[in-house]
Amino acid sequence: MNGTMAGAVGQSNRQRVVWLSLLATPLLFPIALPGMASVVGAFCVLIAFGLFSGKPLPLPAWLAKRELNERFKRMLERMISRVTGVIALWGRPRMLRLSDKPARFVNGMMLCVAGLSMMAPVPIITFDNVLPALAIVLISWGLRLRDGLMLLAGYVVTLAAAASVVLLWWGGTVAISELLSRTGLTLGH
């Protein structure tokens, strides 16, 4: 890990998915971290497009050149060692076809959907990022460890996350329409 963000994040998709999972991990808990979901979602989409193309997309120059201080690097190294120790208990190479090159498009698509689900603003609900974060963590570690079972679980959670965002928006629209109709107002008429 050198002194820049580009050096820390790495130049390969396999390195970057570890960082993506680390960024998504705090969002597994239903707490509000303003702006965090958008950052994680955008990084997730960046990595997804790297998977689609078969080579990682470069970080934006302003982010890539950002210097990391020693304290921050030590904290990251401790966090990585703790998380990898826990993940190593469950993950292992299996069902390798799901992490091979032919599956790259599906993995990229699922990461993209999970990232977009995380970026979609859902007003008032504080737990709306838990499912997309779980999907990102599962897919990221599934790719890193070549664990097809983790990838399958990530696919299922991604679909649930996308469905929950759609249902929350639909439910919110219905609730607002009902509230407005009870007060004598209407939407779009």
Side-chain angles (χ1 to χ4, degrees):
M1 189 182 306
N2 74 14
T4 66
M5 186 63 99
V9 170
Q11 299 301 317
S12 75
N13 286 325
R14 286 194 63 175
Q15 290 171 305
R16 289 181 175 191
V17 293
V18 171
W19 291 105
L20 177 59
S21 71
L22 293 174
L23 284 172
T25 299
L27 297 169
L28 291 172
F29 306 99
I31 54 175
L33 298 171
M36 182 72 172
S38 297
V39 170
V40 173
F43 189 52
C44 187
V45 171
L46 180 86
I47 291 173
F49 280 103
L51 287 172
F52 287 141
S53 68
K55 57 185 175 199
L57 297 178
L59 293 176
W62 63 269
L63 181 60
K65 293 177 184 176
R66 186 162 193 148
E67 293 288 327
L68 303 176
N69 66 36
E70 287 302 315
R71 183 173 171 244
F72 186 70
K73 286 194 288 189
R74 283 193 306 276
M75 182 189 72
L76 286 175
E77 288 167 352
R78 281 193 308 270
M79 186 170 44
I80 289 171
S81 69
R82 276 191 212 132
V83 170
T84 54
V86 170
I87 294 295
L89 295 174
W90 295 307
R92 65 180 181 276
R94 56 185 158 195
M95 300 168 63
L96 297 176
R97 297 186 90 156
L98 291 174
S99 61
D100 284 344
K101 276 189 178 182
R104 184 172 53 206
F105 179 79
V106 172
N107 292 323
M109 182 181 65
M110 288 296 179
L111 265 181
C112 190
V113 169
L116 292 173
S117 295
M118 182 166 282
M119 291 171 66
V122 179
I124 301 171
I125 308 295
T126 60
F127 60 86
D128 64 315
N129 292 324
V130 173
L131 283 176
L134 180 58
I136 289 169
V137 168
L138 288 169
I139 293 172
S140 295
W141 282 108
L143 288 170
R144 182 66 177 107
L145 299 174
R146 299 202 65 207
D147 188 335
L149 188 58
M150 234 183 243
L151 285 169
L152 281 176
Y155 299 165
V156 169
V157 176
T158 297
L159 296 174
S164 73
V165 168
V166 169
L167 287 173
L168 286 170
W169 272 97
W170 174 76
T173 303
V174 169
I176 289 171
S177 295
E178 182 66 27
L179 182 64
L180 289 176
S181 70
R182 287 179 187 225
T183 60
L185 302 172
T186 60
L187 281 177
H189 295 287

